[in-house]
Amino acid sequence: MKKTGCRMLSLLAALAAAVLAGAAVFASPAGEKEITIGLGQLAPGGKVSLGARHLPAGAICLPALSWEGGASLWAVCSTRDGEQLEYPILKDGPSAGAFVIEEAGDYTVALRNCSPSSAKNLTGKLTFPQQAPPADPAPSAPSLVLQGVQVYHPAAGEGGYSYLHEVATNNTGKRIAAYECGMLAFDQNGAPLSLDWFSLDSDYEPSYDYLYDWGGSGPAPGETDNEPGGWTLDIRGDDPEAKKVAYALYCYKTITFEDGSAWKNPDYQSWLTAWRGKRAEVQALQSYYPHIEAIG
């Protein structure tokens, strides 16, 4: 079930404590614009504070983190009045995980592991420049780039549902009006998962894949869609497989543009045949993104 915007900007319940195996955290002084991180391990549901700092409106956070394992990490910025804003961080690269502080304030910055897998050997930096970084050059051929799909599972005692959050960049030169996107899910060991993808409908049979049909305004040319929210799983609470999801693979089947033109992915069926219902190597799942669809 698709939802937009309400999940990550709400007040959250208490979070599980971080479990650090031989960990060390190095946080720069609050007045500086960089936080350097070195952790041994961040356990599933774990959260580690990186210190407090004042962030002006328009400050941009550029994450550049790497870790081992299939963990889904989020940056958490907490205000003094208890509001917590969460932003997904993609592995090995700042571009898709960047986020903007819209309102000036004193924030406590933290990292949270929202997956059932540990993040091992977590290292890197969070930087807060006062202006936007130079944009990555657009590829020579029109394309739609799936930067990544984050898997979110609520921590113990926290309300809400598991959901999938996609980050996509539109390099087609046209605004997207609608699309169809295939979705697959795997556990932390690479086993395929048969899910009740549309869990509002009690008659829907679990399946290894789901074709998501989205009709609505997509990202403008050159923009990255990284809005809060995502595809919600297990709304009725009766699908134990949903809690096992560690990796989600997306692939576009069709794209319709606002000018009325359309694109059909000639490789969609072969993609589905290659991945659907089959055990995958964890390394292949971890290296799937960015997934680039060349729009011919």
Side-chain angles (χ1 to χ4, degrees):
M1 180 63 184
K2 183 74 174 179
K3 63 179 180 179
T4 57
C6 62
R7 179 64 186 87
M8 289 185 290
L9 301 182
S10 62
L11 294 178
L12 302 180
L15 302 175
V19 178
L20 304 176
V25 180
F26 306 95
S28 302
E32 297 186 9
K33 298 178 181 179
E34 181 178 279
I35 302 174
T36 303
I37 302 151
L39 296 176
Q41 178 173 307
L42 186 57
K47 177 184 174 186
V48 57
S49 176
L50 303 177
R53 62 191 51 234
H54 180 81
L55 297 175
I60 300 170
C61 177
L62 299 178
L65 303 179
S66 64
W67 62 89
E68 297 175 6
S72 174
L73 300 187
W74 297 68
V76 183
C77 297
S78 304
T79 63
R80 289 178 176 177
D81 60 7
E83 184 177 14
Q84 292 183 336
L85 310 181
E86 294 194 320
Y87 305 90
I89 294 178
L90 302 185
K91 186 186 297 186
D92 297 325
S95 59
F99 58 88
V100 179
I101 300 297
E102 296 183 357
E103 185 175 343
D106 295 317
Y107 291 88
T108 298
V109 182
L111 284 180
R112 182 183 175 198
N113 181 358
C114 296
S115 77
S117 303
S118 293
K120 301 177 182 178
N121 296 326
L122 172 60
T123 59
K125 297 178 180 180
L126 300 179
T127 56
F128 295 87
Q130 298 303 114
Q131 59 184 7
D136 293 334
S140 56
S143 65
L144 191 61
V145 182
L146 274 165
Q147 305 282 6
V149 174
Q150 299 283 355
V151 180
Y152 177 92
H153 294 290
E158 180 186 357
Y161 308 99
S162 298
Y163 67 91
L164 310 176
H165 172 79
E166 72 273 22
V167 180
T169 300
N170 179 2
N171 291 321
T172 67
K174 303 177 182 180
R175 182 179 288 275
I176 296 170
Y179 61 80
E180 292 179 304
C181 186
M183 302 189 292
L184 307 172
F186 299 83
D187 70 11
Q188 61 184 347
N189 299 313
L193 296 172
S194 181
L195 303 180
D196 180 7
W197 291 92
F198 195 72
S199 55
L200 282 177
D201 185 353
S202 60
D203 293 329
Y204 185 82
E205 293 294 329
S207 174
Y208 284 115
D209 72 298
Y210 187 81
L211 185 62
Y212 168 42
D213 186 0
W214 167 252
S217 180
E223 290 188 353
T224 295
D225 184 0
N226 192 15
E227 293 298 319
W231 185 271
T232 309
L233 301 171
D234 196 25
I235 292 177
R236 298 196 310 274
D238 57 1
D239 184 6
E241 296 296 283
K243 298 176 178 62
K244 301 178 184 178
V245 177
Y247 304 95
L249 304 189
Y250 283 20
C251 181
Y252 294 104
K253 183 178 182 181
T254 63
I255 299 173
T256 302
F257 300 97
E258 285 191 344
D259 66 0
S261 61
W263 172 80
K264 183 177 181 180
N265 188 350
D267 300 319
Y268 180 79
Q269 192 57 48
S270 60
W271 171 83
L272 195 63
T273 300
W275 291 96
R276 184 187 186 277
K278 299 177 181 178
R279 178 175 288 274
E281 294 291 335
V282 171
Q283 184 176 3
L285 295 170
Q286 293 175 350
S287 61
Y288 180 82
Y289 297 106
H291 183 74
I292 302 173
E293 301 287 6
I295 310 298

